[in-house]
Amino acid sequence: MKKFKFKLESVKRLRESEEKKKLDDYAKAMQRRHGQEQKIEKLQRDLAQSEDDIMARRRSIFSAADLHADRNATLAIRMQLETAQKDLEEALGEEDNHRAAFLGAKSNREIIDRLELKQREAFENDMRKIEEQEIEDVVVPRYSKSEHNSLFQ
């Protein structure tokens, strides 16, 4: 029996490598988004800590210079937080784009897989028919010959 050979094997390998690359890109985008989320959480903790420190100093005696420095520090953290939130939005958009690209590549690979499966099934059916025909070609003449001989005796 002949061995099945998929004629589009090179296309299949290309689609698989594209899918793997898109998956890697998607994973990197997810990591970037996760990093931005962690950065925002840290900045929010820093801002809360800074505001708590300011409130604690206000309860005690403090100078106007300290108040100005505290406001500048809080303002800097808020600006960093705002920038980080914009970066997070960009990371989310990038992640969505990479997810869509990955799903498209996966779909393309699955199309080739289904085509290969159909061709393999057709090949196996053809081989089974050929084998059945070969068996029939061997059995039928023998049966016919023995039946023919029994009629003449």
Side-chain angles (χ1 to χ4, degrees):
M1 185 166 129
K2 291 191 301 186
K3 184 178 177 185
F4 174 73
K5 181 166 175 25
F6 185 51
K7 293 178 182 175
L8 297 174
E9 189 65 38
S10 59
V11 174
K12 180 182 175 184
R13 283 193 309 272
L14 178 65
R15 298 269 173 97
E16 287 171 345
S17 68
E18 286 176 1
E19 180 185 15
K20 184 180 181 316
K21 183 185 180 311
K22 300 292 183 187
L23 179 61
D24 290 344
D25 292 344
Y26 179 42
K28 288 176 186 174
M30 288 173 55
Q31 288 174 342
R32 181 173 180 252
R33 177 201 34 92
H34 184 69
Q36 288 298 326
E37 288 173 343
Q38 288 179 331
K39 183 178 179 181
I40 287 173
E41 289 173 6
K42 181 188 179 307
L43 287 170
Q44 287 173 337
R45 284 191 306 268
D46 291 349
L47 181 61
Q49 183 63 41
S50 177
E51 289 173 346
D52 289 345
D53 291 346
I54 290 170
M55 293 304 286
R57 278 189 245 142
R58 283 186 179 170
R59 289 186 192 113
S60 65
I61 299 174
F62 69 99
S63 68
D66 290 339
L67 178 62
H68 185 68
D70 290 342
R71 283 185 182 167
N72 285 342
T74 302
L75 182 60
I77 293 172
R78 286 187 180 169
M79 290 175 66
Q80 289 175 350
L81 186 59
E82 188 176 308
T83 302
Q85 287 172 336
K86 288 179 185 176
D87 291 345
L88 176 62
E89 289 176 18
E90 288 177 16
L92 285 170
E94 185 178 315
E95 181 182 355
D96 288 341
N97 292 339
H98 285 293
R99 181 178 50 246
F102 165 67
L103 292 174
K106 181 180 178 186
S107 175
N108 289 338
R109 191 229 355 119
E110 288 173 345
I111 289 169
I112 293 291
D113 287 346
R114 284 192 300 272
L115 179 62
E116 180 185 20
L117 180 63
K118 284 182 180 180
Q119 287 183 2
R120 183 180 302 275
E121 288 172 351
F123 174 80
E124 289 171 356
N125 285 337
D126 290 346
M127 289 290 103
R128 201 170 12 261
K129 287 178 184 177
I130 290 171
E131 284 180 16
E132 288 172 0
Q133 185 64 43
E134 288 173 353
I135 292 171
E136 193 174 296
D137 289 347
V138 170
V139 171
V140 169
R142 286 185 184 168
Y143 179 72
S144 298
K145 187 176 181 182
S146 65
E147 186 178 283
H148 181 67
N149 288 339
S150 66
L151 290 174
F152 290 113
Q153 293 179 354

